[in-house]
């Protein structure tokens, strides 16, 4: 008999007795081999050590990695993921939640619901878990008090009220004494509900039903056969695929039909959901790794989607950052276009903030460089889930779920341009280069690809054949603007620091780069201050007539009439100036994208 597989996860805050509860449950249900049960470990009441797979876990008496255990009843099979409770291992807990149907949440009867427990619940709901069993543990430490259990029942209900369409069960338990786990407790006769084991095995998981024709076959590998045909390999994640079925290859418009079907090299007439299979198409069409085979009526692909993201990066998440996004069978580069809101777990509310810290859950708008076939997470966990990967370190920095597809009608500027240019202009010694370098460092610390174009460096290379007359200055600015434009088109922020004294030349740069991507920062430090800072003695030489066409002395500087921002480095320090500039740029780009 084919038994239904139920995937469950166990989570709870540190020292809630999670491992003790799990070990006791597994012992009672035959989930731990007899030789381990009869060992000295159990006799010494150190049963949690049975579950610690890593030496570090055994030494520190904590759970670090996700541990998987398996057991079964007469009609069901269970896969149980034991998730760590510490804040620093939240990402490991999210891994367990991403593939689970039921969440078992252990709550300390003495401490109640903690901030970490609230974080765990938000992550579980984020990953579409809708069934929750709350184990109120350590009832022996509160003298099996019914009133304490009732108060915790109310507290749990209040926390879960923010989540829609969830089923919750709350069970008072003493894991150390094995009470209300498999057998009913004689010291908690006031509890009229079922034991934990009875509730777990009776829960019915309702999964989205699809018609057989609504198949989905993500291509994970392509093998060239001897007859020059291509064999597409993958796992059928939905529906039934039959010999002769018409298919569409997404993204794209190519259509074909199934010529051959096989499982492990054995020819078959059909493949059902969950099986790894090999497919050969009737036509030798382009079906590369990363594409998906669907029924011919399905044709939706997108570059833009709204998602909930658990940020687990070490640094701060900001708008405009570029990542690799890895889906079930495809990796695509893309940009965090907007942080819509951040979930404040402590207050059970959502707030607006352009920055997100580690272990925060944020709702974001993501634009990919290329179209992909994907689905909402509630419709397909496989095609609706993804991870974010740092382009610089290749480390996983986030995991997310697609929630919806916003209006796809974006302007050509928004579709083509994923970055921008910050243009610092001002007198020599005003602090342009200092601000520009600090700006680049700050953006790069966020993981944003950024390049610095400093006037002195430009003159030594790209523009070393130009002088300082009006026409040469104009050509100098034009070349730099064209370079900035190229960087922007490739997702790289350009930060330029040039005197650029002529207003007309700066206007030309703005037209080349694009008015919506050009942020002119006038470093308005007064002339007398710039002269006092004259480390190279340039102002002195200019006043002595030794340097011709020196801006501010023998050549005019045309101050911008309406720059994006003005910064006076005599009055503002570097850090606060950069914070101010980047926050204003971020806000302006958000406002423009609405």
């Amino acid at each position: 008999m084919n038994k239904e597989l139920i995937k469950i996860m166990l989570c709870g805050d540190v020292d809630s007795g999670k491992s003790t509860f799990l070990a006791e449950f597994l012992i009672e249900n035959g989930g731990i081999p007899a030789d381990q049960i009869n060992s000295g470990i159990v006799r010494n009441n150190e049963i949690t050590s049975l579950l610690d797979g890593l030496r570090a876990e055994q030494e520190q008496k904590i759970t670090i990695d996700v541990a998987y255990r398996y057991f079964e009843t007469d009609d069901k099979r269970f896969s149980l993921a034991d998730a760590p409770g510490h804040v620093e291992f939240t990402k490991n807990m999210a891994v367990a939640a991403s593939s689970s149907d039921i969440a078992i949440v252990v709550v300390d009867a003495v401490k109640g619901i903690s901030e970490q427990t609230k974080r765990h619940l938000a992550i579980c709901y984020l990953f579409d878990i809708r069934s929750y069993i709350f184990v109120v543990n350590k009832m022996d430490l509160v003298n099996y008090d019914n009133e304490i259990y009732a108060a915790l029942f109310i507290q749990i209900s209040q926390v879960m009220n923010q989540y829609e369409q969830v089923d919750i069960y709350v069970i008072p338990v003493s894991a150390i004494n094995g009470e209300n786990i498999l057998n009913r407790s004689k010291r908690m006769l006031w509890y009229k509900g079922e034991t934990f084991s009875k509730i777990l095995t009776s829960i019915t998981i309702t999964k989205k039903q699809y018609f057989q024709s609504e198949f989905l076959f993500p291509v994970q590998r392509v093998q060239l056969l001897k007859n020059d045909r291509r064999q597409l390999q993958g796992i059928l994640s939905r529906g039934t695929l039959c010999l002769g079925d018409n298919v569409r290859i997404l993204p794209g418009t190519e259509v074909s039909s199934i010529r051959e079907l096989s499982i492990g090299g054995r020819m078959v007439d059909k493949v059902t959901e969950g099986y790894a299979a090999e497919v050969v198409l009737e036509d030798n069409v382009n079906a590369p790794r990363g594409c998906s085979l669907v029924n011919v009526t399905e044709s939706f692909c997108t570059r833009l989607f709204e998602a909930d993201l658990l940020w687990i990066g070490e640094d701060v998440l900001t708008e405009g950052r570029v990542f690799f996004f890895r889906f079930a069978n495809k990796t695509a580069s893309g940009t965090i276009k907007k942080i819509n809101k951040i979930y404040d777990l402590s207050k059970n509310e959502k707030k607006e903030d352009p920055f997100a810290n580690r272990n925060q859950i944020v709702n974001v708008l993501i634009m990919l460089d290329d179209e992909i076939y994907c689905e909402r997470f509630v419709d397909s966990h496989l095609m609706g889930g993804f991870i974010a990967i740092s382009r610089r370190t290749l480390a996983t920095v986030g995991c997310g779920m697609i929630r919806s597809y916003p209006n796809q009608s974006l302007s050509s500027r928004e579709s083509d341009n994923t970055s921008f240019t910050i243009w610092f202009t001002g007198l020599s010694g005003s602090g342009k280069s200092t601000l520009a370098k600090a700006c680049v460092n700050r953006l790069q610390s966020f993981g944003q690809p950024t390049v610095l174009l400093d006037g002195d460096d430009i003159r030594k290379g790209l523009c070393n054949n130009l002088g300082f007359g009006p026409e040469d200055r104009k050509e100098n600015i034009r070349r730099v603007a064209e370079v900035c434009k190229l960087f922007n088109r490739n997702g790289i922020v350009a930060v330029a620091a040039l005197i650029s004294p002529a207003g007309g030349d700066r206007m030309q740069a703005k037209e080349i780069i694009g008015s919506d991507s050009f942020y002119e920062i006038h470093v308005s430090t007064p002339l007398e201050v710039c002269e006092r800072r004259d480390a190279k003695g340039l102002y002195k030489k200019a006043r002595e007539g030794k340097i011709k066409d020196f801006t501010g002395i023998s050549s005019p500087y045309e101050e911008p009439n309406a720059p994006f921002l003005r910064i006076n480095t005599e009055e503002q320090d570097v850090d606060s100036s950069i914070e101010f500039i980047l926050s204003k740029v971020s806000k302006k780009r958000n406002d423009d994208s609405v």
Side-chain angles (χ1 to χ4, degrees), residues 299-316:
S299 61
F300 181 74
C301 292
T302 186
R303 289 176 56 200
L304 184 72
F305 56 85
E306 175 244 331
D308 285 336
L309 180 73
L310 170 64
W311 177 249
I312 56 177
E314 298 287 346
D315 53 359
V316 176

Side-chain angles (χ1 to χ4, degrees), residues 176-195:
I176 197 70
N177 295 323
E179 297 176 278
N180 277 349
I181 298 177
L182 184 63
N183 300 308
R184 189 177 292 278
S185 170
K186 295 180 180 180
R187 286 178 280 197
M188 290 183 279
L189 296 177
W190 43 262
Y191 172 68
K192 304 303 180 182
E194 300 287 354
T195 63

Side-chain angles (χ1 to χ4, degrees), residues 88-107:
E88 57 265 39
F89 305 125
T90 298
K91 63 180 179 181
N92 294 353
M93 177 270 168
V95 170
S98 66
S99 59
S100 298
D101 303 310
I102 301 172
I104 303 168
V105 186
V106 180
V107 178

Side-chain angles (χ1 to χ4, degrees), residues 286-416:
N286 182 33
R289 179 183 185 276
C291 73
S292 296
L293 304 185
V294 300
N295 52 303
V296 292
T297 58
E298 182 63 76
S299 61
F300 181 74
C301 292
T302 186
R303 289 176 56 200
L304 184 72
F305 56 85
E306 175 244 331
D308 285 336
L309 180 73
L310 170 64
W311 177 249
I312 56 177
E314 298 287 346
D315 53 359
V316 176
L317 175 66
T318 59
E319 295 165 341
R321 291 189 60 177
V322 181
F323 299 100
F324 293 124
F325 294 97
R326 181 174 295 166
F327 298 85
N329 60 334
K330 185 177 179 64
T331 300
S333 180
T335 306
I336 304 292
K337 301 300 296 182
K338 186 178 182 182
I339 296 179
N340 296 318
K341 56 198 172 189
I342 295 178
Y343 298 92
D344 189 334
L345 303 179
S346 62
K347 299 179 181 178
N348 292 335
E349 64 184 22
K350 302 164 186 174
K351 61 181 181 180
E352 293 185 2
D353 196 328
F355 306 99
N357 296 311
R358 189 182 188 191
N359 290 333
Q360 284 190 310
I361 300 172
V362 296
N363 182 267
V364 295
L365 186 66
I366 295 174
M367 174 171 277
L368 303 177
D369 294 348
D370 301 302
E371 281 193 340
I372 65 164
Y373 173 71
C374 57
E375 300 186 15
R376 296 185 310 156
F377 188 77
V378 293
D379 296 326
S380 171
H381 286 197
L382 178 69
M383 302 305 289
F386 62 90
I387 60 174
I389 301 171
S390 168
R391 290 164 61 106
R392 182 168 53 88
T393 65
L394 298 183
T396 299
V397 292
C399 49
M401 286 62 60
I402 297 174
R403 292 303 181 205
S404 65
Y405 307 105
N407 190 340
Q408 301 287 299
S409 58
L410 297 176
S411 67
S412 59
R413 172 193 63 82
E414 188 70 13
S415 298
D416 297 334

Side-chain angles (χ1 to χ4, degrees), residues 147-193:
E147 292 186 1
I148 291 178
Y149 165 76
L152 283 173
F153 187 98
I154 294 173
Q155 184 184 17
I156 290 169
S157 299
Q158 290 174 339
V159 171
M160 296 305 291
N161 279 341
Q162 64 179 307
Y163 303 120
E164 298 177 354
Q165 298 179 335
V166 295
D167 296 321
I168 66 171
Y169 306 84
V170 185
I171 308 168
V173 161
S174 171
I176 197 70
N177 295 323
E179 297 176 278
N180 277 349
I181 298 177
L182 184 63
N183 300 308
R184 189 177 292 278
S185 170
K186 295 180 180 180
R187 286 178 280 197
M188 290 183 279
L189 296 177
W190 43 262
Y191 172 68
K192 304 303 180 182

Side-chain angles (χ1 to χ4, degrees), residues 477-517:
I477 299 304
R478 187 196 69 79
R479 293 182 188 180
V480 174
E482 291 287 357
V483 172
C484 290
K485 179 181 178 181
L486 289 174
F487 277 122
N488 290 170
R489 282 185 173 177
N490 286 277
I492 300 172
V493 171
V495 179
L498 301 97
I499 294 175
S500 46
D505 295 348
R506 296 193 299 269
M507 182 60 67
Q508 173 189 240
K510 184 176 183 179
E511 291 173 355
I512 292 171
I513 295 168
S515 59
D516 293 325
S517 299

Side-chain angles (χ1 to χ4, degrees), residues 2 9 38 42 55 63 109 113-114 176 245 268 277 310 324 328 348 389 404 419 450 465 508 541 591:
N2 291 326
M9 69 163 295
N38 295 327
V42 176
R55 178 173 295 179
T63 301
I113 295 285
S114 66
I176 197 70
D245 277 350
V268 295
L310 170 64
F324 293 124
N348 292 335
I389 301 171
S404 65
S419 245
T450 312
N465 63 327
Q508 173 189 240
K541 292 179 181 178
D591 293 343

